[in-house]
Amino acid sequence: MRSSPQHPVRTPRDVSGTDAEDFALYREKFRRRLPESLDELHGPTHGVVELPLHMAWSGMTSYDLGKPRQCMGLYRTVLHEGLDDDLPRYLNQDLLLHLWPVLRTLVGRTVRTVWEDAFPQLASRARAAA
């Protein structure tokens, strides 16, 4: 996903020089993958999901969405490793919104910030659950 009014690029504060550039590139890596809207996320809500190796390169490749820990693991993996075509295929809007208050604590700060900046409904779900 490219820079747009919907998804502006935030610059890091209190970081200088090369570190700021590296941080900005890392954020951009995740921001570029975002869908335009959560409405695009039509992934499965039940059953067993097999992830391709470009996402599940370091461990499990099969996730049973009926098992909460596996479901959370699948979403964490897809958010970190999925490419822009993977997100609508493996993530489901309703399930993401339901999982987000806990899932946001399991993903890295950059992933969490990029998603919450782009989709205020995720941040509001987190605040409502607190």
Side-chain angles (χ1 to χ4, degrees), residues 37-82:
S37 165
L38 292 181
D39 293 333
E40 295 177 28
L41 305 179
H42 296 288
T45 58
H46 61 278
V48 175
V49 177
E50 299 286 334
L51 290 181
L53 289 177
H54 73 270
M55 280 191 288
W57 51 267
S58 68
M60 284 180 62
T61 58
S62 181
Y63 296 83
D64 183 345
L65 296 180
K67 296 181 178 179
R69 291 185 80 165
Q70 288 188 27
C71 185
M72 207 64 80
L74 171 89
Y75 272 64
R76 182 176 184 265
T77 299
V78 174
L79 289 170
H80 277 275
E81 305 295 338

Side-chain angles (χ1 to χ4, degrees), residues 7-126:
H7 307 294
V9 177
R10 284 187 9 190
T11 56
R13 287 180 270 180
D14 301 325
V15 181
S16 60
T18 305
D19 290 338
E21 278 182 39
D22 290 348
F23 182 75
L25 287 172
Y26 187 64
R27 282 182 56 89
E28 181 65 15
K29 169 183 133 177
F30 293 107
R31 199 190 58 72
R32 217 176 315 125
R33 299 174 183 176
L34 291 172
E36 286 294 322
S37 165
L38 292 181
D39 293 333
E40 295 177 28
L41 305 179
H42 296 288
T45 58
H46 61 278
V48 175
V49 177
E50 299 286 334
L51 290 181
L53 289 177
H54 73 270
M55 280 191 288
W57 51 267
S58 68
M60 284 180 62
T61 58
S62 181
Y63 296 83
D64 183 345
L65 296 180
K67 296 181 178 179
R69 291 185 80 165
Q70 288 188 27
C71 185
M72 207 64 80
L74 171 89
Y75 272 64
R76 182 176 184 265
T77 299
V78 174
L79 289 170
H80 277 275
E81 305 295 338
L83 303 176
D84 52 354
D85 291 342
D86 296 321
L87 300 176
R89 181 176 181 185
Y90 294 102
L91 300 180
N92 177 278
Q93 175 183 353
D94 293 334
L95 194 49
L96 178 64
L97 289 168
H98 173 73
L99 295 174
W100 191 255
V102 174
L103 183 61
R104 71 183 303 275
T105 68
L106 302 176
V107 298
R109 181 182 314 171
T110 302
V111 171
R112 178 177 56 247
T113 302
V114 165
W115 278 79
E116 289 183 351
D117 285 352
F119 306 110
Q121 61 269 50
L122 291 175
S124 66
R125 295 278 304 190

